[in-house]
């Protein structure tokens, strides 16, 4: 199809033209795996095609939209391992979104590498700046190319029928043929260019949106300024005072017709574009930006946290990689973990001890922290250490932290005085805090009472997961280990790097209340944390109003699965450490909670969890001060362009929607719509689901689409999770995410939301 957008991008750009001609480059997987591949950019400027020089006709493709960024030179472990063989000027890395592995490439010359680096960066930038209408055109173009089997730039009815199956539509053949004939204005028996766009528009006619539009339109043809104001006020519940100004801004922003703009009116096309935009999304745009008070003490925030960050796979045989830290930090994670052991040549190494996971250098982890800690968020990063090193290599650790991180490492209290409470994330911007054992307390350090040759003999690490496995598996022989907590000396140099996060053994909530300092932090396995929640939930919340707590997965989770983080957030636990490498509902909840507040990795806890003078029991939420339950009513109206989950060409999904509430035990709930037979393209439900939410401040709402299967397990199609407090009411679109947390192009749900106060 002749889309001029891609033509204009190519014209006058030597890099893109060179990419379209194609280049032979080496694809590198390790020091020993280096294979030549032929790479070229397709003419749509959206797809990279590549094939082996020896593999006949087999080839692979990936979309430019899948690529998050391009790294130049030796900026991956793989390329660093072959640095002696290929100079940095010929090397680059394509970093994909989600959990997909990087693509490391070596060009034959620095000039060829630059063509691809600059060309890919331009394509990524173009995509980011593309208007919604352009993205739609591009999407239509991609479908056309997929179905145009003989590449003649035309589409006959047979190809159209194949296309409908690919697009998840099981349409009556007579109806499909009628649409085809209507679109075939040239009466040639084929569709090309504008005819295919017309066919697509008839196919995607939104009767559900048209019904809403006509309910508010005075003449059925357009929304006048007054009509639009009424819709925004009555349905979208926009603030009355600014509604006229908002209506005019929306017309200016989304109305494609200049005539309608002059009349201060909105057509159905403009109305649909508004509803499909970020402003029409279920997530309130204002709460996606940084909107919370960041000047509260650090322990007043939930903190996005990763467990065994170095692992890319499972906990026994998995690959350790610096890439784990880069990916976690780029997802807004603010607490990462290192598991340190004595390594060869006097260099500490990081790996999961007592297992067969691979090993990386501690100094490489620290370098990754220096380079990536503050790219996504400027708020502080906590480096949680599980330290098994002897004193000599502890000194090396301290040296690396000081020399590599420099001023980024927090080495003393902010004002040099003895503090009485945590500083705020705002005050700690750009700082990396070490969490670990410390000789004495802050008071002794600041008063110079710790002698230079002092060292602490005892448990160097506050959590040894090998020992935890032994404890967790009392009733299981499959993973029994004889590991014991290590008793080693702690070097003063490493101790001095710990300021506000001193790891201590936990005795009891009563002991902590009487004896603990605010900067002392305890870590629990999930099973211990559940025990505390069960036996003393109110005390647990009260403890977390004064101190930091970290909870991490049971050692039995050797497959890197995750526990439900919501349970721990219900106790006010700040550092709920998850295996970021493992997709699933647990990471969906984590991503959902931290998608607010500018995705900065810090979310302010509800006030009833921050005030030590107030009491809150997660099991009895009705007894708290300020209790205000809410009713949530969601009408699931329709779905759009849901992806296929079965690779069979004839397969079409039977979708249904499940809405889940995650929060306090009293609020945990889920309800489902009916399933729709054979229609993933534009299913319509109009099913209403109702929930009562007792602690809306803690609740997350998860929308899940699945493919119904009466004989087997339902297949996952897409999901979207957000905090209850961030929901926009009215008619809203929900833009679905894959299992990996990446966006699914054009896939959405259309819903109507109403929230009312109860009591």
């Amino acid at each position: 199809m002749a889309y001029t957008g891609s033509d204009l991008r190519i014209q006058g750009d030597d890099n893109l033209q060179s990419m379209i001609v194609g280049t032979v480059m080496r694809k590198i997987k390790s020091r020993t795996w280096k294979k030549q591949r032929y790479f070229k950019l397709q003419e749509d400027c959206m797809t990279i095609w590549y094939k082996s020089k020896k593999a006949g006709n087999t080839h692979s493709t990936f979309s430019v939209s899948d690529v998050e960024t391009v790294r130049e030179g030796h900026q991956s472990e793989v390329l660093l391992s072959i640095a002696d063989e290929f100079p940095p000027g010929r090397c680059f890395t394509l970093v994909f979104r989600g959990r997909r592995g990087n693509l490391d490439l070596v060009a034959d010359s620095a000039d060829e590498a630059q063509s691809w680096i600059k060309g890919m960066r331009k394509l990524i930038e173009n995509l980011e700046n593309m208007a919604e209408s352009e993205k739609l055109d591009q999407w239509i173009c991609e479908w056309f190319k997929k179905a145009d089997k003989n590449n003649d730039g035309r589409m006959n009815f047979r190809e159209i029928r194949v296309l409908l199956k690919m697009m998840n539509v099981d349409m009556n053949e007579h109806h499909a043929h009628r649409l085809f004939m209507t679109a075939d204005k040239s009466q040639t028996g084929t569709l090309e260019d504008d005819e295919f766009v017309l066919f697509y528009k008839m196919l995607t006619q939104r009767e559900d949106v048209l019904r809403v539009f006509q309910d508010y339109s005075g003449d059925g043809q357009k929304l006048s300024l007054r009509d639009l104001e009424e819709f925004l006020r009555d349905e979208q519940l926009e603030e009355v005072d600014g509604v006229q100004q908002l209506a005019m801004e929306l017309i200016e922003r989304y109305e494609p017709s200049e005539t309608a703009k002059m009349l201060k009116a909105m057509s159905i096309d403009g109305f649909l574009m508004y509803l499909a935009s970020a402003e029409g999304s279920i997530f309130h745009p204002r709460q996606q930006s940084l909107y919370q008070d960041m000047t509260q003490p650090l322990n007043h925030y939930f903190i996005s946290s990763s467990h065994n960050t170095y692992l890319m796979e499972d906990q026994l045989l998995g690959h350790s990689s610096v890439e784990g830290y880069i990916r976690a930090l780029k997802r807004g994670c603010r607490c990462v973990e290192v598991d340190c052991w004595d390594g060869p040549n006097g260099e500490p190494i990081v790996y999961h001890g007592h297992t067969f996971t691979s090993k990386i250098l501690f100094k490489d982890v620290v370098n990754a922290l220096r380079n990536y800690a503050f790219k996504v968020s400027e708020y502080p990063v906590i480096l949680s250490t599980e330290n098994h090193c002897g004193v000599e290599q502890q000194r090396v650790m301290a040296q690396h932290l000081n020399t590599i991180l420099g001023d980024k490492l927090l080495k003393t209290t902010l004002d040099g005085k003895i503090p009485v409470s945590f500083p705020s994330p705002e005050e700690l911007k750009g700082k990396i805090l070490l969490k670990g054992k410390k000789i004495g307390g802050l008071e002794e350090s600041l008063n110079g009472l710790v002698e230079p040759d002092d060292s602490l003999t005892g448990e160097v690490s506050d959590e040894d997961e090998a020992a935890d496995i032994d404890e967790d598996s009392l009733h299981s022989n499959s993973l029994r280990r004889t590991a014991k907590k290590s008793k080693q000396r702690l070097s003063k140099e490493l101790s001095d790097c710990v300021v506000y996060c001193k790891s201590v053994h936990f005795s009891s909530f009563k002991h902590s209340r009487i004896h603990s300092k605010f900067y002392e932090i305890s870590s629990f396995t999930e099973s211990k944390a559940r025990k505390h929640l069960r036996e003393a939930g109110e005390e647990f919340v009260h403890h977390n109003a004064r101190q930091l707590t970290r909870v991490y997965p049971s050692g039995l989770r050797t497959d890197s699965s995750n526990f439900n983080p919501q349970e721990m957030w219900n106790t006010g636990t700040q550092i709920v450490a998850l295996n970021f490498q493992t997709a699933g509902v647990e990471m969906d909840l984590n991503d959902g909670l931290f998608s607010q507040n500018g995705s900065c990795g810090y979310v302010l806890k509800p006030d009833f969890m921050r005030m030590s003078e107030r009491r809150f029991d997660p099991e009895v939420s009705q007894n708290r001060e300020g209790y205000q339950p809410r009713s949530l009513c969601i009408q699931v109206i329709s779905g759009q362009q849901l992806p296929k989950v079965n690779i069979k060409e004839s397969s079409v999904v039977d979708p249904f929607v499940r809405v889940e509430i995650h929060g306090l035990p009293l609020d945990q709930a889920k309800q489902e719509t009916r399933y729709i037979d054979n229609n993933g393209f534009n299913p319509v439900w109009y099913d209403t689901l109702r929930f009562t939410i007792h602690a809306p401040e803690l609740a997350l709402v998860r929308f899940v689409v699945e493919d119904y299967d009466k004989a087997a397990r339902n297949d996952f199609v897409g999901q979207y999770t957000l905090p209850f407090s961030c929901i926009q009411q009215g008619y809203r679109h929900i833009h679905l995410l894959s299992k990996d947390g990446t966006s699914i192009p054009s896939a959405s749900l259309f819903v109507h939301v109403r929230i009312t106060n109860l009591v």
Side-chain angles (χ1 to χ4, degrees):
M1 294 180 73
Y3 279 98
T4 55
S6 58
D7 294 341
L8 288 171
R9 282 196 290 274
I10 298 164
Q11 285 171 11
D13 192 302
D14 293 341
N15 295 321
L16 295 184
Q17 287 176 345
S18 171
M19 289 169 70
I20 283 174
V21 170
T23 311
V24 175
M25 293 187 279
R26 286 180 178 85
K27 179 180 176 182
I28 314 289
K29 286 190 177 179
S30 68
R31 276 193 72 87
T32 54
W33 198 103
K34 313 179 193 79
K35 301 285 175 71
Q36 287 198 320
R37 297 285 185 265
Y38 179 54
F39 288 85
K40 63 179 290 188
L41 173 66
Q42 302 282 64
E43 296 210 359
D44 63 359
C45 282
M46 289 290 291
T47 311
I48 306 295
W49 177 99
Y50 66 98
K51 64 177 286 189
S52 165
K53 292 186 76 177
K54 297 177 183 175
N57 291 323
T58 60
H59 68 273
S60 301
T61 61
F62 60 85
S63 173
V64 173
S65 61
D66 294 337
V67 182
E68 184 179 294
T69 189
V70 184
R71 291 190 206 146
E72 201 168 340
H74 298 147
Q75 285 202 63
S76 75
E77 284 163 304
V78 170
L79 291 178
L80 279 168
S81 74
I82 50 108
D84 56 343
E85 198 175 340
F86 301 105
R90 290 169 54 193
C91 302
F92 64 99
T93 302
L94 300 184
V95 180
F96 290 94
R97 299 181 190 281
R99 294 172 176 83
R100 180 173 171 176
N102 296 343
L103 179 58
D104 291 301
L105 297 169
V106 177
D108 281 347
S109 71
D111 287 344
E112 281 188 348
Q114 279 302 310
S115 282
W116 278 83
I117 292 164
K118 289 175 181 174
M120 283 299 298
R121 284 175 177 166
K122 180 171 184 179
L123 292 172
I124 293 166
E125 185 185 354
N126 282 342
L127 259 181
E128 288 170 352
N129 296 329
M130 199 181 274
E132 289 302 316
S133 57
E134 285 183 283
K135 285 181 184 173
L136 181 59
D137 282 351
Q138 198 74 53
W139 197 74
I140 297 170
C141 179
E142 284 176 21
W143 278 117
F144 187 96
K145 290 187 69 173
K146 283 178 189 174
D148 184 15
K149 297 292 186 187
N150 59 5
N151 295 315
D152 64 354
R154 302 164 182 270
M155 193 91 71
N156 59 37
F157 184 62
R158 189 171 146 278
E159 288 174 319
I160 285 287
R161 282 166 56 202
V162 171
L163 172 71
L164 292 175
K165 289 285 185 188
M166 288 166 67
M167 294 176 95
N168 236 340
V169 186
D170 187 17
M171 184 179 283
N172 172 285
E173 189 165 327
H174 175 72
H175 179 55
H177 193 260
R178 186 166 56 80
L179 291 181
F180 180 87
M181 296 301 289
T182 306
D184 184 14
K185 300 292 185 187
S186 60
Q187 298 184 344
T188 58
T190 60
L191 305 183
E192 51 186 300
D193 287 1
D194 294 343
E195 292 175 337
F196 180 73
V197 173
L198 177 61
F199 175 81
Y200 175 85
K201 286 192 172 175
M202 288 191 291
L203 188 66
T204 55
Q205 179 86 32
R206 291 286 303 274
E207 296 294 336
D208 50 349
V209 173
L210 187 61
R211 183 193 292 191
V212 179
F213 180 83
Q214 290 180 336
D215 280 349
Y216 281 88
S217 170
D219 61 5
Q221 302 298 311
K222 66 181 184 305
L223 292 176
S224 67
L225 189 61
R226 183 172 289 182
D227 294 339
L228 184 55
E229 286 175 35
E230 186 183 350
F231 171 77
L232 294 171
R233 187 174 56 246
D234 296 351
E235 289 294 351
Q236 309 299 74
L237 302 188
E238 298 288 356
E239 293 175 11
V240 176
D241 290 347
V243 79
Q244 185 180 51
Q245 180 64 29
L246 176 60
M248 288 194 291
E249 287 173 5
L250 294 179
I251 290 169
E252 189 58 38
R253 204 150 36 238
Y254 299 110
E255 178 51 53
S257 163
E258 290 302 324
T259 306
K261 279 184 182 178
M262 286 172 61
L263 295 170
K264 292 184 181 175
M266 184 175 269
S267 66
I268 181 64
D269 289 339
F271 188 60
L272 181 54
M273 285 180 73
Y274 152 62
L275 287 175
S277 73
E279 287 174 285
S281 159
I282 193 168
F283 202 122
H284 203 303
R286 189 164 57 236
Q287 282 155 292
Q288 281 185 315
S289 58
L290 194 70
Y291 74 98
Q292 293 184 334
D293 176 8
M294 300 303 288
T295 64
Q296 301 269 336
L298 193 72
N299 63 311
H300 285 187
Y301 297 83
F302 295 122
I303 303 170
S304 180
S305 306
S306 158
H307 169 250
N308 286 358
T309 315
Y310 49 90
L311 286 178
M312 304 293 283
E313 300 156 25
D314 67 76
Q315 308 279 314
L316 292 178
L317 303 167
H319 176 56
S320 301
S321 172
V322 170
E323 203 64 43
Y325 293 90
I326 297 171
R327 289 187 181 189
L329 292 166
K330 287 176 79 172
R331 289 180 74 161
C333 179
R334 297 289 87 188
C335 179
V336 295
E337 185 183 10
V338 281
D339 197 344
C340 298
W341 299 78
D342 283 336
N345 307 316
E347 282 292 346
I349 53 173
V350 174
Y351 83 111
H352 199 204
H354 314 298
T355 70
F356 298 103
T357 59
S358 61
K359 302 168 177 66
I360 55 177
L361 293 175
F362 176 72
K363 67 179 179 184
D364 289 345
V365 172
V366 181
N367 268 309
L369 276 177
R370 180 191 65 192
N371 294 332
Y372 290 94
F374 305 110
K375 279 190 180 292
V376 167
S377 168
E378 54 192 346
Y379 291 102
V381 169
I382 298 169
L383 178 60
S384 178
T385 56
E386 186 176 321
N387 175 19
H388 304 274
C389 292
V391 170
E392 283 308 309
Q393 291 207 15
Q394 288 177 40
R395 289 191 179 117
V396 177
M397 286 173 65
Q399 184 184 345
H400 287 325
L401 289 167
N402 279 289
T403 56
I404 295 170
L405 297 180
D407 290 342
K408 288 188 173 79
L409 179 68
L410 189 78
K411 301 184 185 76
T412 185
T413 56
L414 290 180
D415 57 5
K417 297 175 183 173
I418 297 171
V420 292
S421 66
F422 280 105
S424 69
E426 189 68 30
E427 292 171 303
L428 291 168
K429 268 183 180 177
K431 293 295 182 187
I432 294 171
L433 283 63
L434 189 70
K435 179 182 95 61
K437 289 289 182 181
K438 186 172 181 65
I439 301 165
L442 267 182
E443 297 79 6
E444 291 92 331
S445 297
L446 291 167
N447 290 330
L449 298 178
V450 179
E451 294 299 321
D453 58 349
D454 273 4
S455 66
L456 171 74
T457 301
E459 292 174 5
V460 166
S461 179
D462 60 314
E463 67 259 353
D464 182 339
E465 295 186 16
D468 289 329
I469 282 194
D470 207 38
E471 191 174 313
D472 284 343
S473 61
L474 287 173
H475 306 292
S476 166
N477 295 320
S478 60
L479 282 165
R480 181 170 297 280
R481 295 190 191 150
T482 56
K484 294 179 180 175
K485 297 229 175 188
S486 52
K487 298 269 185 180
Q488 287 174 268
R489 290 170 62 221
L490 177 64
S491 83
K492 180 179 181 299
E493 292 87 345
L494 190 59
S495 168
D496 285 347
C497 294
V498 176
V499 182
Y500 290 114
C501 299
K502 177 186 176 181
S503 299
V504 296
H505 176 73
F506 179 81
S507 298
S508 68
F509 290 125
K510 182 179 179 182
H511 180 273
S512 293
R513 195 167 59 248
I514 297 167
H515 300 289
S516 289
K517 309 287 188 183
F518 78 88
Y519 53 81
E520 293 178 335
I521 172 172
S522 299
S523 291
F524 305 127
T525 62
E526 56 177 288
S527 50
K528 282 184 184 173
R530 278 196 203 96
K531 184 172 182 287
H532 292 315
L533 171 59
R534 231 175 12 251
E535 296 174 358
E538 188 177 301
E539 280 293 304
F540 204 167
V541 175
H542 190 245
H543 173 85
N544 289 329
R546 301 188 321 275
Q547 291 174 246
L548 283 171
T549 297
R550 177 176 178 266
V551 174
Y552 58 98
S554 160
L556 289 173
R557 293 185 182 274
T558 56
D559 59 351
S560 293
S561 60
N562 282 308
F563 60 91
N564 180 359
Q566 186 70 53
E567 271 188 296
M568 302 307 146
W569 293 327
N570 290 345
T571 68
T573 295
Q574 302 87 347
I575 302 176
V576 180
L578 298 179
N579 293 306
F580 269 47
Q581 71 272 35
T582 306
V585 59
E586 299 84 8
M587 275 306 297
D588 291 345
L589 296 178
N590 196 77
D591 290 344
L593 176 67
F594 291 104
S595 59
Q596 63 182 310
N597 204 33
S599 299
C600 74
Y602 286 84
V603 168
L604 190 63
K605 296 198 287 185
D607 60 356
F608 55 80
M609 288 184 148
R610 306 196 305 262
M611 311 304 174
S612 53
E613 66 274 8
R614 288 167 72 171
R615 291 291 187 164
F616 171 69
D617 186 343
E619 300 291 326
V620 195
S621 59
Q622 302 97 316
N623 293 349
R624 67 182 168 88
E625 187 183 326
Y627 169 64
Q628 176 60 74
R630 302 273 173 85
S631 166
L632 172 64
C633 177
I634 298 172
Q635 185 181 46
V636 180
I637 299 171
S638 64
Q640 294 76 44
Q641 282 103 64
L642 304 178
K644 286 180 70 134
V645 292
N646 193 315
I647 56 171
K648 287 183 186 172
E649 202 168 86
S650 60
S651 171
V652 176
V653 302
D654 305 324
F656 69 93
V657 179
R658 181 172 64 251
V659 178
E660 304 169 352
I661 308 298
H662 296 264
L664 294 183
L666 194 60
D667 289 337
Q668 295 286 131
K670 57 186 173 185
Q671 292 183 38
E672 295 173 354
T673 66
R674 299 161 291 133
Y675 70 89
I676 304 294
D677 272 323
N678 288 332
N679 188 354
F681 189 71
N682 54 1
V684 175
W685 291 278
Y686 282 103
D687 285 359
T688 300
L689 313 176
R690 290 185 172 84
F691 303 90
T692 297
I693 299 174
H694 297 271
E697 303 92 334
L698 282 170
L700 294 168
V701 184
R702 183 171 183 254
F703 295 83
V704 191
V705 182
E706 289 185 354
D707 178 15
Y708 175 76
D709 191 327
K710 64 184 175 195
R713 188 175 175 182
N714 298 328
D715 286 319
F716 174 89
V717 175
Q719 71 84 31
Y720 188 81
T721 307
L722 78 163
F724 176 87
S725 59
C726 296
I727 289 177
Q728 289 201 102
Q729 297 189 60
Y731 286 100
R732 302 292 173 184
H733 276 98
I734 297 166
H735 300 282
L736 295 173
L737 303 175
S738 70
K739 191 171 285 187
D740 225 16
T742 56
S743 63
I744 307 171
S746 301
S748 62
L749 297 175
F750 187 48
V751 299
H752 183 268
V753 182
R754 226 7 127 240
I755 297 169
T756 51
N757 289 341
L758 298 173
V759 180

